[in-house]
Amino acid sequence: MGQVTIYLDDDSEAKMKAAAKASQVSTSKWVAALIQQELSEHWPGEVRELAGAWPDFPSEQELRQDKTADTPREDW
């Protein structure tokens, strides 16, 4: 398991410690959870629950019915 050293200003450190304490975890576990969350390739549950939440939202077919040809791109 790797270790990382970070430097924080006093205000950020105090906020981090307060947030970790409120979550009832060590500051190390709190920071590790943030990093894991940021690197996650999955949508959060709150976002996934929104799928289909708007019954009047157009379907994929309705959105693409007026699809025109894409603009040609320049070669890199």
Side-chain angles (χ1 to χ4, degrees):
M1 181 177 300
Q3 292 183 331
V4 176
T5 301
I6 61 172
Y7 297 92
L8 300 172
D9 59 81
D10 293 339
D11 185 51
S12 296
E13 180 184 16
K15 289 177 181 178
M16 174 194 64
K17 286 181 177 182
K21 185 176 181 177
S23 298
Q24 299 180 338
V25 296
S26 68
T27 54
S28 179
K29 286 185 179 183
W30 188 83
V31 171
L34 284 179
I35 292 170
Q36 291 167 350
Q37 179 182 335
E38 183 66 27
L39 299 177
S40 173
E41 296 180 10
H42 303 285
W43 288 97
E46 297 85 3
V47 174
R48 287 194 309 271
E49 289 171 7
L50 290 174
W54 292 276
D56 58 339
F57 196 79
S59 68
E60 178 183 352
Q61 292 78 18
E62 292 169 322
L63 288 172
R64 295 182 180 192
Q65 71 184 0
D66 297 326
K67 182 180 171 190
T68 60
D70 195 11
T71 304
R73 307 279 194 249
E74 294 179 15
D75 291 332
W76 286 77

